[in-house]
Amino acid sequence: MSKRLAEVFARCEAENRSALVGYLTAGDPSVETSEKLMLGLAEHIDIIEIGLPFSDPMADGPVIQAASERALAAGTHFDDVLHIAMRIREKYPNIGIVLMGYANVPYTIGFEAFAQRASAVGVDGVLLVDIPAEESALCADIFKQHDLSQIMLLAPTSTEERIQLAADAGDGFIYYVSLAGITGAEMGEVAKIKDKLSLIRQYSKLPICVGFGVKTTEQAADLASFADGVVVGSYFVSQITSNTNAEDVIVDNLSTSASALASAMYKAI
Amino acid sequence: MIDYDLSIKHAPDEGGHFGEYGGRFAAETLMQPLKEIEDAFFSAWADPSFHEERLDLLKNYVGRATPLYHAKQLTAEVGGAQIYLKREDLNHTGAHKVNNTIGQALLARRMGKKKVIAETGAGQHGVATATVAAMFNMQCDIYMGREDIRRQAPNVFRMKLLGANVIPVDSGNATLKDAVNEALRVWVASCEDTYYIFGTAAGPHPFPLMVRQFHTVIGQEARKQCLEQAGRLPDVAVACVGGGSNAMGLLHPMWDDEEVRLVAVEAGGHGLNSGEHAASLAKGKPGIIHGSLSYVLADNEGQISADAHSISAGLDYPGVGPELAFMMKQGRLDLDSATDDEALEAFQILTKAEGIIPALESSHALAAGMRIAATMEQDQVVLINLSGRGDKDLGTVMDLLGFDDEGKS
């Protein structure tokens, strides 16, 4: 496993809290602004998921679809994504950095070149939404060679057989999708999420982060009571949507909401 | 009615790979629902009562077997090989698409699903889905790009009459690929009670295999009819390719007939070097879109082309079924293409020569098929899949050719 991701979860555990994982799409609304927003957000979170913009984000709801469209319209390329990752790494040596996106981008760039360059700027892990365990042979060895954790998703529809597959193929942490749906939908029922996490823990010792639909400090606190991490994506991205021009305002809003979420995630003793 | 061969030939591996292509590149949430469809498909395919019902519907509801027509006037005009047309345009709903929707609707019913969804480009798959949904009394939502809704108004109205909801898709460039994205998003959240009737031989396993199997009636009939009428197999079999459903249907049953040259005709749009075409196999490269690894039109960083273009909404797709990529790589499939202008010309030639108005999709196969036939001898045979009829395209063609109120074009 990426040493840095392991350290992030160990640190959070020592501090008796869950890790806050934040997502923004790289290049949204422009490369320059996106860098500032990510650097601002990174100060308050433990792991940053940098979204690779893609023309056809099949698993994303309207908020992240629009973010991808804005990023591509602004001319965002893989070089820009790497530059943002590098700047985050320079400023925050201990944060976890994960690239998240769809298979066709690294496949077309070439998994070797993609992994080599990502690793060189300090990326710790890669999450490709449309590469399930069955297809991960395409890139698994390459990611390992470059010390990149391949993060696997699990969902409410995952059977025990599939949990085993993801446990074997995955590394870094497991991303549990709180509901059968797309990003930005309403969060799934807490009791059901908790049950599924207990089941997953029978198969894997990896930390488990829960995402999809998390917007409020109450939700974050609920999940933090049993999950190792909580992922917030569409809620952060939606702050860009509603403030397209005011860069400083967005940074302030992201900082405020991220620190509120983070402080809600200490576990009761 | 012929005795169809119900064996599964040239099957993919367990994960749905045809060589290096295909597979199941789907979000985790869909992996189990896809496995359930796969299991249901294999269990149905092994069940004689499934085929009994399916083939009865294909015969008495769809009107199969469709004729193979020796187009003598067209042959005379082209001057070369004998041209035979497989008349999929005579199917109920006017295209080959219904072969697949009957099969998948039966599967949905076996799985206890009450609702079906589908994507559509030209509207033919949407109409074929809405039709079977009406017959099976299932709720039906059709996702269609807003741009395609504008281009294909008669089919939209047809779907609505059949009781389907037609849901406009505005994301991306509001055409077929975006409709697929949207249908996948909706399905992720509703797979418990909803079946996704995928319309072409692409997508994640088992769709490429399943759609191909439901369409092989086309090639099995054509093969037998050609032997009866021409006394031999065709020298060349020709089909247009968007995603590849009619092409796999016609060509796959002739895979093992080594003497038959198999030709897939892609949409050349404004020309293969114009950047505005939908020739994924000829001009694309390997990539992963909509759940499988195949050939796609994409830039150097994997962004799917927004410039995929064809005069025909049904071919206007930047991807292609994985088995076609595999057949091409195996050297078993020859590629050809027809531009918008060539398709429009073929549309008019067939209409005037034979009194048959073809779909613009099928007009691409005709254009290439006629071009090939012209270079061949009179005792040779070219078999062209006339995958659909052209009624839906009359508006487009009228705009392009002009039409005055005295009825002269």
Side-chain angles (χ1 to χ4, degrees):
Chain A
M1 173 183 339
S2 141
K3 189 161 162 268
R4 210 179 278 115
L5 287 176
E7 286 167 0
V8 166
F9 288 103
R11 193 163 58 240
C12 289
E13 198 181 346
E15 293 170 11
N16 202 34
R17 62 184 180 88
S18 286
L20 177 57
V21 184
Y23 169 98
L24 287 175
T25 303
D28 173 28
S30 69
V31 175
E32 266 179 35
T33 306
S34 170
E35 180 182 323
K36 286 177 194 156
L37 302 184
M38 294 233 190
L39 286 170
L41 178 65
E43 190 179 344
H44 306 279
I45 62 180
D46 302 291
I47 295 172
I48 187 157
E49 288 181 348
I50 304 179
L52 296 159
F54 182 50
S55 53
D56 294 78
M58 291 157 288
D60 284 300
V63 170
I64 294 180
Q65 284 174 50
S68 238
E69 283 180 22
R70 285 192 297 268
L72 291 174
T76 308
H77 289 281
F78 186 51
D79 279 348
D80 303 311
V81 180
L82 292 172
H83 176 77
I84 292 172
M86 185 186 74
R87 296 278 293 120
I88 296 171
R89 176 54 68 226
E90 284 167 3
K91 197 167 171 194
Y92 303 101
N94 299 322
I95 195 171
I97 302 181
V98 172
L99 297 184
M100 179 168 182
Y102 293 82
N104 202 44
V105 172
Y107 180 85
T108 306
I109 290 168
F111 283 112
E112 178 61 38
F114 176 88
Q116 188 269 324
R117 299 187 66 196
S119 184
V121 297
V123 170
D124 305 303
V126 179
L127 196 171
L128 298 170
V129 176
D130 50 351
I131 299 209
E134 287 88 337
E135 305 291 354
S136 68
L138 268 185
C139 51
D141 289 346
I142 295 169
F143 287 167
K144 268 196 198 95
Q145 281 158 24
H146 292 282
D147 199 24
L148 292 169
S149 290
Q150 189 173 4
I151 291 140
M152 303 303 294
L153 292 158
L154 283 172
T157 52
S158 305
T159 56
E160 290 188 51
E161 192 186 346
R162 298 206 49 76
I163 293 172
Q164 182 70 62
L165 281 174
D168 293 343
D171 189 29
F173 61 90
I174 284 170
Y175 185 138
Y176 182 69
V177 171
S178 82
L179 80 168
I182 49 178
T183 55
E186 291 304 309
M187 194 180 94
E189 224 177 285
V190 173
K192 284 189 185 165
I193 300 170
K194 192 173 179 177
D195 286 349
K196 196 77 174 197
L197 258 59
S198 311
L199 182 65
I200 296 170
R201 289 193 201 283
Q202 292 173 24
Y203 291 86
S204 173
K205 297 209 178 334
L206 287 173
I208 307 174
C209 299
V210 180
F212 277 40
V214 184
K215 296 180 186 70
T216 67
T217 50
E218 289 77 13
Q219 289 171 322
D222 278 348
L223 296 176
S225 67
F226 57 88
D228 304 291
V230 176
V231 189
V232 179
S234 296
Y235 173 58
F236 287 147
V237 175
S238 67
Q239 299 181 21
I240 301 174
T241 320
S242 52
N243 290 288
T244 308
N245 297 313
E247 197 174 286
D248 297 341
V249 177
I250 308 171
V251 172
D252 283 349
N253 288 348
L254 284 172
S255 299
T256 311
S257 50
S259 45
L261 287 162
S263 54
M265 286 164 53
Y266 284 86
K267 295 178 200 272
I269 300 170
Chain B
M1 203 68 177
I2 71 167
D3 278 333
Y4 295 104
D5 179 356
L6 297 176
S7 65
I8 295 179
K9 298 203 159 60
H10 299 277
D13 73 9
E14 239 179 71
H17 301 95
F18 302 92
E20 64 189 285
Y21 306 105
R24 189 177 280 161
F25 291 86
E28 173 62 26
T29 312
L30 288 180
M31 291 300 283
Q32 187 59 24
L34 287 166
K35 178 82 174 96
E36 283 163 16
I37 292 181
E38 180 195 336
D39 292 346
F41 169 70
F42 281 114
S43 122
W45 198 264
D47 178 354
S49 72
F50 174 75
H51 294 296
E52 200 178 309
E53 187 169 11
R54 182 175 70 91
L55 296 175
D56 177 71
L57 286 169
L58 288 181
K59 181 180 175 194
N60 297 311
Y61 183 72
V62 174
R64 300 205 76 91
T66 59
L68 183 72
Y69 172 64
H70 185 187
K72 291 182 184 149
Q73 287 68 233
L74 185 67
T75 299
E77 192 160 331
V78 170
Q82 303 302 309
I83 298 176
Y84 285 78
L85 303 175
K86 180 59 174 164
R87 298 290 309 273
E88 290 299 296
D89 60 315
L90 294 178
N91 282 322
H92 177 46
T93 71
H96 69 291
K97 291 287 186 188
V98 71
N99 300 325
N100 170 47
T101 59
I102 293 258
Q104 290 202 51
L106 284 169
L107 205 57
R109 201 184 60 189
R110 277 174 81 100
M111 294 174 75
K113 309 287 182 186
K114 301 274 185 269
K115 181 174 174 181
V116 294
I117 58 170
E119 83 294 340
T120 197
Q124 289 304 98
H125 175 57
V127 167
T129 302
T131 299
V132 298
M135 182 184 51
F136 286 130
N137 192 26
M138 288 170 162
Q139 198 187 327
C140 177
D141 288 351
I142 304 292
Y143 292 84
M144 188 169 186
R146 199 178 286 279
E147 174 61 18
D148 288 336
I149 288 180
R150 189 187 63 74
R151 292 196 283 186
Q152 305 286 337
N155 269 346
V156 175
F157 187 58
R158 220 165 269 151
M159 287 183 265
K160 288 184 174 170
L161 284 174
L162 290 161
N165 299 309
V166 179
I167 299 164
V169 176
D170 287 309
S171 59
N173 39 330
T175 60
L176 178 54
K177 83 174 171 78
D178 310 293
V180 175
N181 290 336
E182 200 57 29
L184 285 169
R185 288 180 189 121
V186 170
W187 194 41
V188 167
S190 61
C191 46
E192 210 159 292
D193 67 346
T194 301
Y195 183 98
Y196 181 5
I197 301 189
F198 202 77
T200 193
H205 181 57
F207 288 117
L209 168 69
M210 197 160 72
V211 174
R212 175 248 274 185
Q213 284 305 117
F214 288 139
H215 280 304
T216 51
V217 289
I218 304 171
Q220 291 191 36
E221 288 170 11
R223 195 178 175 285
K224 183 162 182 284
Q225 291 163 326
C226 194
L227 283 170
E228 283 166 5
Q229 294 180 30
R232 56 184 295 181
L233 290 174
D235 297 277
V236 185
V238 186
C240 66
V241 172
S245 63
N246 91 81
M248 290 310 292
L250 179 74
L251 304 180
H252 199 271
M254 293 186 236
W255 182 320
D256 297 328
D257 298 315
E258 282 167 22
E259 65 271 39
V260 183
R261 189 181 154 216
L262 308 179
V263 178
V265 184
E266 296 188 291
H270 296 142
L272 287 189
N273 296 318
S274 68
E276 293 175 351
H277 56 74
S280 310
L281 289 168
K283 288 294 193 175
K285 57 191 165 194
I288 300 164
I289 180 72
H290 296 151
S292 63
L293 201 168
S294 181
Y295 270 60
V296 298
L297 296 172
D299 71 13
N300 293 336
E301 294 194 353
Q303 307 300 341
I304 306 301
S305 171
D307 300 325
H309 161 83
S310 169
I311 187 176
S312 130
L315 301 181
D316 187 354
Y317 180 63
V320 65
E323 196 172 11
L324 286 143
F326 178 63
M327 289 175 79
M328 175 182 76
K329 284 303 205 186
Q330 294 282 305
R332 188 60 189 102
L333 187 69
D334 290 345
L335 297 185
D336 205 330
S337 68
T339 63
D340 288 355
D341 290 346
E342 289 169 330
L344 192 59
E345 194 190 353
F347 175 97
Q348 297 171 82
I349 291 172
L350 181 70
T351 301
K352 289 192 175 126
E354 299 285 356
I356 298 171
I357 302 179
L360 283 172
E361 289 78 7
S362 322
S363 300
H364 288 72
L366 279 167
M370 292 191 300
R371 201 194 303 132
I372 293 165
T375 66
M376 294 167 61
E377 302 299 327
Q378 288 190 3
D379 61 353
Q380 293 185 295
V381 172
V382 171
L383 195 162
I384 302 171
N385 201 13
L386 196 65
S387 56
R389 66 177 182 226
D391 307 43
K392 71 184 175 60
D393 295 314
L394 295 183
T396 306
V397 174
M398 200 156 68
D399 288 348
L400 289 166
L401 295 181
F403 175 77
D404 68 37
D405 54 11
E406 288 171 9
K408 288 179 285 189
S409 70

